[in-house]
Amino acid sequence: MSFYTEEIERSHRFVLALRMGLPIFLLSVVSVFILFLQPLVTFTSIIFLIFMLLAIAVYFIFFLINQSAYEAITDSITHTFSVEYFTKLFYQRSSHHTVTLVMINVDNLTAINEKYGIKNGNAILIETVRQINEFFISKEIKKLPVCRYKGGNFIVLFMGEKEHIIPLIELFLAKYQENNLNEIEIRLSAVLLDTTHVKQFNEILTRLFELEYASADKHTVTDDDDIIPAELEQSVLDALTYQRYSVATQIISCEKNTMYEVTFKLIDKEGRFIHQSRFIPLLNRLGKMREYESQLLEIVAKMAENSSVVYVVSISAVTLRNGLFFQHALGVLQQYPKAKNKIILLFEEKEYSPQIKRFREQITQYRAVGYKIALDKYGGNHVTMMYLKEFDVDFLHFDILYTRHIMEEKYQNILQGLNITAHLCGAVTLMSMIEDAQSEDIAKRLKINCRQGNYHGKIVIMNTNVRELPSEDIA
């Protein structure tokens, strides 16, 4: 079966062949015609003409062959469109109509390449393209532009809004999300976005990668946010500049101390919340994450200064490793000395830090000056387990997977083992999302030190932290 990208590739190669052949043919015809118009034609002149035409033809052919390398429109492995050609096609189709970009990912391509070799990895990519084309051809979508963006990421271009495409993508995932090729397991995922609010190709790609990162936990293929990226960026920067935060707390029931988890949302000029899933990726891209988390730490320190309770606040591992942030954190405790030992910095990381010795020293410094350190997603994130054996921490926060399955005996057995390990390492354990008395009783029986959830107390929104706006912004 011939697919759309292959048909376009053949057409492109045919045009290149015409560009090489026709000029030479026309030059030959014209030269012979002019030659025989001369009053005296000799054998020598004919031989000279032939050699001249041959030299020109060879030069022209090699020139176009070299030029064709810069005009390739498809990927050499999967024969899907190149990024450059696909981008042009996107702007052509989106100039007059709403289009939807779908990113289909081979999630375990890296593991396949490492375990089975690059050759088998390439076979998986080719098979994925075949599955994409055959599925949508069966749905009467025959001219489907597909682009291999990088690695195992394929971008597919559909005409129309995303609401019409979502059911098709869900059907595709239902059929191919987990399948096998030559006894090799393949795991696919997909996210999508249309051009209703985002018009630029690179902006859509950026948002697709953000959705891919977030969809692992949410199990969704798109989001319902209709904020235009430029407006979102301006709202986030304004909220950061004027420190417009919504601060919420939830009590954590512990054996010794009263603790609260503190969470934050940004607030735009109209008083609407901007959720973390939207502004955190944006702050990372803009290089504003350290500034944001520095402000959060100062707010929490001010709360701890005037209270006897302990506060838990999430800080990214990258920020913790930043020397400027450490200097700021040290200055915060000097400004609010009563906050010492009452702030728990909670973090998790998906990839193991390559500079683990330096990171270990930094964690020791934080603990030495008066902060407590907590690792998140204990039992669910292998990096958390590796960090536990690398440096001392004060708290370990269980992955919420265990809370969801706390009624099951096998999960209880694993929880008990993890809890004993944590205590032997000198850490206090914390479990969240405790919603009922039965879950609370099981957590207590397993000797989990701290429990959090609606059973103990709902999230309480405190007064928003808003710096006074200048008069021109109020207007």
Side-chain angles (χ1 to χ4, degrees):
M1 180 184 292
S2 178
F3 301 127
Y4 177 66
T5 52
E6 294 172 333
E7 293 173 0
I8 298 297
E9 182 184 22
R10 283 197 295 270
S11 300
H12 184 72
R13 288 180 178 178
F14 178 72
V15 171
L16 284 176
L18 286 179
R19 287 172 60 189
M20 287 188 285
L22 279 178
I24 298 171
F25 175 76
L26 292 175
L27 179 61
S28 302
V29 171
V30 171
S31 301
V32 172
F33 179 74
I34 294 174
L35 179 64
F36 283 100
L37 284 180
Q38 302 299 318
L40 181 63
V41 179
T42 64
F43 180 75
T44 303
S45 62
I46 293 175
I47 295 297
F48 177 77
L49 176 64
I50 291 173
F51 275 106
M52 286 295 295
L53 289 174
L54 182 61
I56 293 171
V58 169
Y59 171 80
F60 194 71
I61 288 172
F62 275 102
F63 171 77
L64 282 180
I65 289 174
N66 179 69
Q67 188 66 21
S68 66
Y70 299 98
E71 298 182 17
I73 67 168
T74 57
D75 174 67
S76 59
I77 297 173
T78 60
H79 296 285
T80 54
F81 288 138
S82 66
V83 177
E84 293 78 11
Y85 185 83
F86 188 84
T87 304
K88 293 178 182 177
L89 196 61
F90 165 81
Y91 282 116
Q92 289 173 4
R93 298 196 177 187
S94 64
S95 59
H96 301 294
H97 304 281
T98 299
V99 300
T100 297
L101 287 183
V102 180
M103 185 163 70
I104 298 175
N105 311 297
V106 183
D107 293 332
N108 60 330
L109 180 64
T110 301
I112 291 172
N113 287 334
E114 291 175 353
K115 187 173 183 178
Y116 300 100
I118 300 295
K119 184 177 179 180
N120 283 309
N122 290 341
I124 296 300
L125 294 176
I126 295 169
E127 173 65 13
T128 302
V129 174
R130 186 193 66 79
Q131 291 173 348
I132 292 171
N133 280 293
E134 288 190 351
F135 177 83
F136 290 106
I137 285 175
S138 70
K139 304 300 179 183
E140 303 300 323
I141 303 176
K142 297 181 179 179
K143 294 186 177 181
L144 185 67
V146 183
C147 162
R148 182 190 174 196
Y149 184 70
K150 66 178 182 68
N153 302 117
F154 294 95
I155 312 296
V156 188
L157 177 62
F158 292 88
M159 300 300 295
E161 298 179 353
K162 65 182 182 182
E163 285 74 18
H164 304 297
I165 310 301
I166 289 174
L168 290 175
I169 299 303
E170 289 176 343
L171 286 173
F172 174 81
L173 290 177
K175 185 174 182 179
Y176 293 113
Q177 190 165 25
E178 295 183 2
N179 60 93
N180 291 272
L181 175 65
N182 297 329
E183 299 185 5
I184 299 175
E185 294 180 346
I186 309 170
R187 295 195 303 273
L188 302 182
S189 64
V191 289
L192 57 89
L193 196 68
D194 62 24
T195 55
T196 303
H197 302 287
V198 189
K199 306 296 182 184
Q200 298 301 312
F201 183 73
N202 288 334
E203 290 182 357
I204 296 177
L205 279 184
T206 299
R207 184 59 188 148
L208 285 174
F209 279 105
E210 291 174 359
L211 288 171
E212 178 196 15
Y213 183 82
S215 64
D217 296 327
K218 296 180 180 179
H219 303 289
T220 58
V221 297
T222 188
D223 63 358
D224 298 323
D225 202 337
D226 58 357
I227 300 177
I228 299 173
E231 294 180 358
L232 174 65
E233 180 175 331
Q234 190 58 50
S235 296
V236 170
L237 292 177
D238 284 347
L240 189 64
T241 301
Y242 302 116
Q243 297 185 13
R244 290 197 293 265
Y245 298 115
S246 169
V247 184
T249 61
Q250 186 175 28
I251 192 170
I252 301 172
S253 176
C254 290
E255 299 168 348
K256 297 180 179 180
N257 302 101
T258 302
M259 293 169 50
Y260 284 87
E261 182 185 19
V262 187
T263 54
F264 295 84
K265 290 181 182 179
L266 294 180
I267 305 172
D268 63 16
K269 287 184 178 180
E270 286 71 35
R272 297 173 300 188
F273 291 138
I274 308 174
H275 196 270
Q276 286 186 337
S277 63
R278 290 312 312 268
F279 70 76
I280 292 297
L282 181 59
L283 291 176
N284 280 322
R285 290 203 310 271
L286 297 175
K288 295 285 188 178
M289 196 63 187
R290 179 177 63 83
E291 179 182 345
Y292 163 72
E293 293 187 322
S294 295
Q295 293 180 5
L296 300 194
L297 183 63
E298 194 165 345
I299 293 171
V300 173
K302 190 181 299 184
M303 294 165 58
E305 174 80 0
N306 302 314
S307 174
S308 60
V309 303
V310 176
Y311 292 98
V312 181
V313 60
S314 294
I315 301 291
S316 66
V318 174
T319 299
L320 282 176
R321 286 193 288 266
N322 190 300
L324 294 175
F325 180 80
F326 176 75
Q327 292 301 321
H328 175 77
L330 184 60
V332 166
L333 287 186
Q334 291 173 348
Q335 184 179 359
Y336 303 102
K338 294 181 181 178
K340 281 188 177 182
N341 300 315
K342 291 193 291 185
I343 300 176
I344 302 171
L345 304 179
L346 173 69
F347 76 95
E348 61 118 356
E349 196 161 26
K350 294 187 181 296
E351 295 183 2
Y352 191 73
S353 173
Q355 298 179 329
I356 189 62
K357 182 179 179 181
R358 181 171 178 271
F359 194 24
R360 186 191 303 120
E361 293 172 353
Q362 290 171 316
I363 292 297
T364 303
Q365 289 174 341
Y366 278 105
R367 299 181 74 228
V369 299
Y371 289 99
K372 296 185 181 297
I373 298 296
L375 289 173
D376 200 4
K377 296 193 176 180
Y378 178 50
N381 185 340
H382 71 283
V383 177
T384 296
M385 301 293 293
M386 294 173 71
Y387 281 169
L388 179 60
K389 63 183 178 60
E390 292 291 350
F391 41 71
D392 294 330
V393 297
D394 301 285
F395 292 84
L396 287 168
H397 182 209
F398 280 105
D399 193 299
I400 59 173
L401 173 71
Y402 292 96
T403 315
R404 291 171 180 164
H405 296 274
I406 197 170
M407 303 297 179
E408 300 176 29
E409 184 179 355
K410 288 185 177 180
Y411 280 87
Q412 292 177 20
N413 294 336
I414 296 172
L415 268 173
Q416 187 170 21
L418 289 171
N419 199 56
I420 293 172
T421 301
H423 290 163
L424 291 174
C425 291
V428 175
T429 50
L430 164 64
M431 174 172 278
S432 58
M433 292 184 67
I434 301 293
E435 305 296 316
D436 51 58
Q438 189 174 1
S439 299
E440 170 73 2
D441 291 340
I442 294 173
K444 280 185 175 180
R445 177 169 56 80
L446 295 174
K447 301 187 186 308
I448 294 170
N449 305 110
C450 304
R451 282 90 50 204
Q452 174 191 11
N454 289 331
Y455 177 78
H456 294 281
K458 296 185 180 295
I459 296 174
V460 178
I461 299 178
M462 303 176 65
N463 293 332
T464 55
N465 186 76
V466 182
R467 182 187 295 176
E468 189 67 27
L469 295 176
S471 57
E472 61 269 20
D473 287 331
I474 295 175

